């Protein structure tokens, strides 16, 4: 399968990139005729911090239309003809069943963006993912570039659903509020210098940016049928990527109940609707548990990021093992202490 995907990423989007290119936006599209024009409008009409149009040559948009039963491809190609100065490149493919999913499409697109950016910008090039049912904020590009200029290697944008179904809305708002409170607590107990407060908790496909260097270092996005963005986020943390959850980088996405994958936001909305109809309440982790976990995580982080060799026989490490309910003697004997530090931290968080 990987050989097939590699072939696509090397042969599609053959028009050379503009020499001013800083950032390449990728959009996997399947049956998005109702949304895609608004998606492209939002990307085309990007402005700077003074509300002036930004230079259209510093970013491009790569659209891969795959396995469609509607006229998404025709809409995109006509859009390109109407706006020739917009750096839009559109390709259409039909995947065989093993590859007919968003993970394969996003992998091909991000690999293609990587190849194009490396030829112009090198490792500093920025690969950005969004979706065909999403509309980016008017200053999405300029805020993203600003975050990378400050040292970020990955930028997760705030994802805001539009027209959330009434029956799911209360659960969604409670979920977001809870997660933001946890994020605030984390910023106090386990602060991160490259991801300061204010920040949020999202780093997913509708607004996910990564430098070319970091994309390669993390092993690239996995071509799996769903949750490919979540698995990539985990891979980024494992390589100590500097992830910035920027509240200024925003995208507005659809709240459809019928989605394109077996699991995603649409599935979660459906579950929340069912909870409302059944009168069910959400259950969350308690505040004391969060404080305990984040305090331990901060101690582990200081050990992980410390200079010089770590004394794994120190009382501090042994106490942490006790707090984590880990058999320290067994771990030490098998030389697994460093692995446990990495796992417990979710390195890079």
């Amino acid at each position: 399968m990987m050989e097939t995907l590699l072939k696509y990423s090397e042969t599609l989007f053959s028009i050379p990139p503009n020499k001013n290119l800083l950032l390449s936006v990728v959009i996997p599209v399947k049956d998005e005729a109702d949304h895609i024009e608004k998606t492209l409008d939002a990307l085309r009409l990007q402005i700077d911090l003074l509300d002036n149009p930004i230079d259209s040559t510093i970013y491009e948009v790569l659209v891969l239309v795959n396995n469609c039963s509607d006229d998404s491809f025709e809409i995109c190609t006509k859009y390109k003809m109407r706006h020739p100065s917009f750096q839009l490149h559109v390709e259409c493919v039909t995947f065989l069943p093993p590859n007919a999913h968003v993970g394969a499409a996003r992998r091909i697109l991000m690999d293609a963006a990587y190849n194009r950016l490396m030829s112009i910008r090198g490792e500093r090039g920025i690969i950005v993912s969004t979706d065909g049912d999403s509309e980016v904020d008017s200053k999405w590009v300029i805020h993203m570039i600003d975050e990378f200029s400050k040292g970020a290697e990955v930028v997760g944008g705030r994802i805001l659903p539009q027209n959330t179904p009434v029956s799911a809305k209360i659960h969604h708002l409670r979920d977001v509020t809870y997660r933001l409170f946890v994020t605030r607590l984390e910023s106090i107990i386990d602060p991160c210098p490259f991801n300061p407060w204010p920040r949020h908790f999202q780093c997913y496909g509708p607004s996910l940016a990564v430098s070319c260097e970091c994309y390669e270092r993390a092993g690239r996005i996995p071509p799996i049928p769903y949750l490919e963005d979540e698995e990539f986020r985990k891979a980024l943390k494992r390589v100590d990527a500097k992830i910035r959850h920027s509240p200024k980088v925003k995208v507005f996405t659809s709240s459809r109940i019928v989605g394109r994958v077996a699991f995603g936001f649409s599935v979660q909305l459906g579950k929340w609707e069912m909870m409302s109809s059944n009168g069910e309440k959400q259950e969350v982790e308690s505040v004391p548990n969060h404080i305990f976990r984040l305090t331990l995580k901060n101690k582990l982080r200081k050990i992980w990021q410390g200079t010089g060799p770590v004394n794994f026989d120190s009382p501090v490490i042994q106490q942490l093992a006790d707090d984590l309910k880990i058999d320290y003697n067994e771990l030490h004997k098998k030389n697994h202490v460093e692995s446990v530090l990495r796992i417990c931290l979710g390195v890079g968080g």
Side-chain angles (χ1 to χ4, degrees):
M1 183 176 75
M2 289 303 301
E3 289 183 0
T4 302
L5 297 185
L6 183 63
K7 177 193 71 175
Y8 277 123
S9 65
E10 291 180 344
T11 57
L12 298 176
F13 306 107
S14 59
I15 297 175
N18 190 286
K19 61 182 178 62
N20 297 326
L21 187 66
L22 300 176
L23 181 150
S24 186
V25 181
V26 306
I27 314 176
V29 170
K30 180 180 180 181
D31 295 339
E32 296 289 5
D34 293 338
H35 297 96
I36 191 60
E37 191 154 351
K38 290 181 180 179
T39 299
L40 296 176
D41 279 342
L43 287 163
R44 179 175 59 86
L45 301 173
Q46 289 291 293
I47 56 178
D48 63 20
L49 299 180
L50 298 176
D51 295 339
N52 298 312
I54 67 172
D55 181 357
S56 62
T57 66
I58 67 171
Y59 72 105
E60 66 178 11
V61 177
L62 308 182
V63 174
L64 182 60
V65 181
N66 67 95
N67 298 70
C68 277
S69 59
D70 66 9
D71 57 348
S72 294
F73 180 65
E74 289 75 14
I75 292 171
C76 292
T77 53
K78 289 178 181 177
Y79 192 97
K80 177 177 174 62
M81 293 175 64
R82 290 200 308 272
H83 304 285
S85 63
F86 181 39
Q87 305 295 305
L88 173 64
H89 307 281
V90 185
E91 297 279 4
C92 184
V93 298
T94 299
F95 294 135
L96 295 175
N99 292 332
H101 52 72
V102 67
R106 208 181 302 273
R107 172 59 179 264
I108 290 167
L109 280 162
M110 294 184 78
D111 281 3
Y114 173 86
N115 294 336
R116 293 171 66 82
L117 286 161
M118 286 296 291
S119 70
I120 297 295
R121 193 60 48 190
E123 294 183 339
R124 296 175 299 161
I126 304 168
I127 305 166
V128 193
S129 167
T130 190
D131 286 336
D133 65 340
S134 302
E135 298 170 44
V136 302
D137 179 73
S138 60
K139 296 178 182 178
W140 189 67
V141 167
I142 205 69
H143 282 310
M144 203 173 299
I145 291 173
D146 181 58
E147 294 290 2
F148 276 93
S149 73
K150 294 175 181 177
E153 296 176 321
V154 180
V155 175
R158 182 74 175 91
I159 302 167
L160 301 163
Q162 302 182 85
N163 305 315
T164 305
V166 174
S167 55
K169 195 165 190 175
I170 185 63
H171 292 293
H172 175 248
L173 291 176
R174 285 173 176 168
D175 181 73
V176 169
T177 302
Y178 168 74
R179 290 175 183 271
L180 285 173
F181 277 139
V182 172
T183 301
R184 179 60 176 135
L185 186 64
E186 183 179 32
S187 73
I188 296 169
I189 297 175
D190 185 30
C192 184
F194 50 80
N195 193 23
W197 186 263
R199 69 190 198 215
H200 57 84
F201 55 91
Q202 296 169 310
C203 191
Y204 303 116
S207 187
L208 168 62
V210 58
S211 71
C212 285
E213 186 279 330
C214 196
Y215 180 65
E216 182 68 18
R217 176 156 49 101
R220 307 194 176 195
I221 195 164
I224 55 180
Y226 53 87
L227 296 181
E228 76 288 346
D229 50 352
E230 170 64 5
E231 290 304 310
F232 185 54
R233 183 189 67 82
K234 293 176 183 177
L236 290 166
K237 291 173 75 67
R238 286 194 293 269
V239 296
D240 279 323
K242 293 180 179 179
I243 303 173
R244 172 66 176 141
H245 297 93
S246 175
K248 294 181 179 179
V249 179
K250 294 178 288 189
V251 63
F252 306 89
T253 193
S254 73
S255 296
R256 58 191 177 200
I257 298 295
V258 180
R260 301 288 188 268
V261 296
F263 187 84
F265 186 58
S266 59
V267 176
Q268 185 62 66
L269 285 174
K271 289 183 178 180
W272 283 331
E273 277 198 323
M274 187 174 297
M275 287 175 67
S276 291
S277 64
N278 295 336
E280 298 177 42
K281 294 183 179 180
Q282 292 160 278
E283 295 183 353
V284 298
E285 188 176 353
S286 69
V287 172
N289 279 1
H290 279 297
I291 292 173
F292 176 76
R293 177 176 56 81
L294 292 171
T295 300
L296 282 177
K297 187 177 179 183
N298 182 252
K299 291 178 181 178
L300 288 163
R301 184 189 303 282
K302 289 176 180 176
I303 295 169
W304 178 256
Q305 295 178 341
T307 57
V310 176
N311 178 13
F312 290 121
D313 292 317
S314 72
V316 173
I317 298 268
Q318 294 182 41
Q319 182 59 54
L320 283 171
D322 289 342
D323 291 339
L324 290 164
K325 311 300 183 189
I326 294 171
D327 186 337
Y328 175 78
N329 291 325
E330 191 66 21
L331 286 170
H332 193 277
K333 183 170 64 176
K334 294 183 178 180
N335 198 27
H336 287 168
V337 177
E338 183 172 323
S339 298
V340 170
L341 282 174
R342 184 180 284 271
I343 292 167
C344 290
L345 273 175
V347 169

